[in-house]
Amino acid sequence: QVLTQPVTSIGFSGDALTLTCGASYYSSLPTTFTWVNAAGTTFSAGTTSGITVTNTNGASTLTIGSLSYNTVTNTQDQYQCSVAYTGVRTLQSNFADVYVREIINYSTVTNNEFAGAAFTLSCSYMSNQAVTVSWKQGNDVITTGTTTHLGNGKNLGTLVFASLTVADAGDYKCTATEDSREVLSSGTVTLTVLGFT
């Protein structure tokens, strides 16, 4: 068996992430480590498409230099490690999931709107999981927001004001929840409601 299994990992877009596996059986024999993703792409020692495999005595690491989750470069995947002992056998690890999280982005951070006007706050979040986006005004949870799944992992959270009042002014926070687990709360966005003079 492979003694050190790569484990499911979560990282933010743009960050580096490293998976590790290793084996100590037949430690005196020459070993060759390789990695493969769910689609069957093989990664050997060196760097391929931003993924670097480094092999040392009895261990191997796969480092994704910059996590991304989009239709052009998608590093969110499953990765498996294999170790071949020369003349003996090949051992394989379990697949480890790598999930990429995007920071919540607001359409605008500072908003100055007139009382009585219709207005919508929006934020976006990338994930391949079931996501619900919710809102808070200060510490108060707002239950009227909606989540729209736009495809390719993009989720849009909106908070609609049919007619702004001065009481709507304040700092708002957009929060993403995956499968009932809060994974990220963003910074705040400010709404200023201007009265008529």
Side-chain angles (χ1 to χ4, degrees):
Q1 76 184 54
V2 173
L3 295 182
T4 306
Q5 298 275 352
V7 297
T8 293
S9 302
I10 299 173
F12 287 109
S13 179
D15 287 351
L17 184 144
T18 298
L19 299 176
T20 302
C21 82
S24 60
Y25 289 160
Y26 314 112
S27 58
S28 63
L29 295 174
T31 57
T32 302
F33 285 94
T34 57
W35 292 78
V36 63
N37 66 9
T41 303
T42 300
F43 304 94
S44 300
T47 302
T48 305
S49 301
I51 295 177
T52 301
V53 173
T54 303
N55 300 324
T56 57
N57 186 25
S60 179
T61 59
L62 178 143
T63 300
I64 302 169
S66 180
L67 291 170
S68 61
Y69 182 62
N70 56 57
T71 56
V72 179
T73 55
N74 181 20
T75 58
Q76 179 162 284
D77 208 336
Q78 295 179 313
Y79 298 88
Q80 180 186 54
C81 173
S82 296
V83 55
Y85 294 94
T86 303
V88 182
R89 63 184 300 193
T90 298
L91 303 176
Q92 291 182 323
S93 73
N94 298 324
F95 275 99
D97 294 312
V98 170
Y99 295 110
V100 181
R101 300 290 175 261
E102 297 283 345
I103 296 172
I104 290 178
N105 294 305
Y106 291 112
S107 53
T108 52
V109 176
T110 303
N111 303 273
N112 298 304
E113 303 294 329
F114 284 103
F119 182 69
T120 300
L121 287 174
S122 63
C123 65
S124 60
Y125 180 68
M126 293 289 293
S127 172
N128 72 335
Q129 305 295 299
V131 172
T132 300
V133 178
S134 58
W135 292 85
K136 289 182 180 180
Q137 181 185 20
N139 294 321
D140 298 328
V141 176
I142 301 170
T143 59
T144 57
T146 60
T147 303
T148 305
H149 306 287
L150 303 177
N152 292 325
K154 186 172 183 179
N155 302 277
L156 181 68
T158 54
L159 182 61
V160 176
F161 300 88
S163 179
L164 286 170
T165 68
V166 174
D168 293 323
D171 292 329
Y172 290 80
K173 176 178 284 190
C174 178
T175 298
T177 303
E178 293 178 344
D179 297 325
S180 301
R181 179 174 63 93
E182 182 175 304
V183 294
L184 183 66
S185 295
S186 71
T188 58
V189 56
T190 301
L191 173 61
T192 301
V193 179
L194 307 173
F196 293 102
T197 58

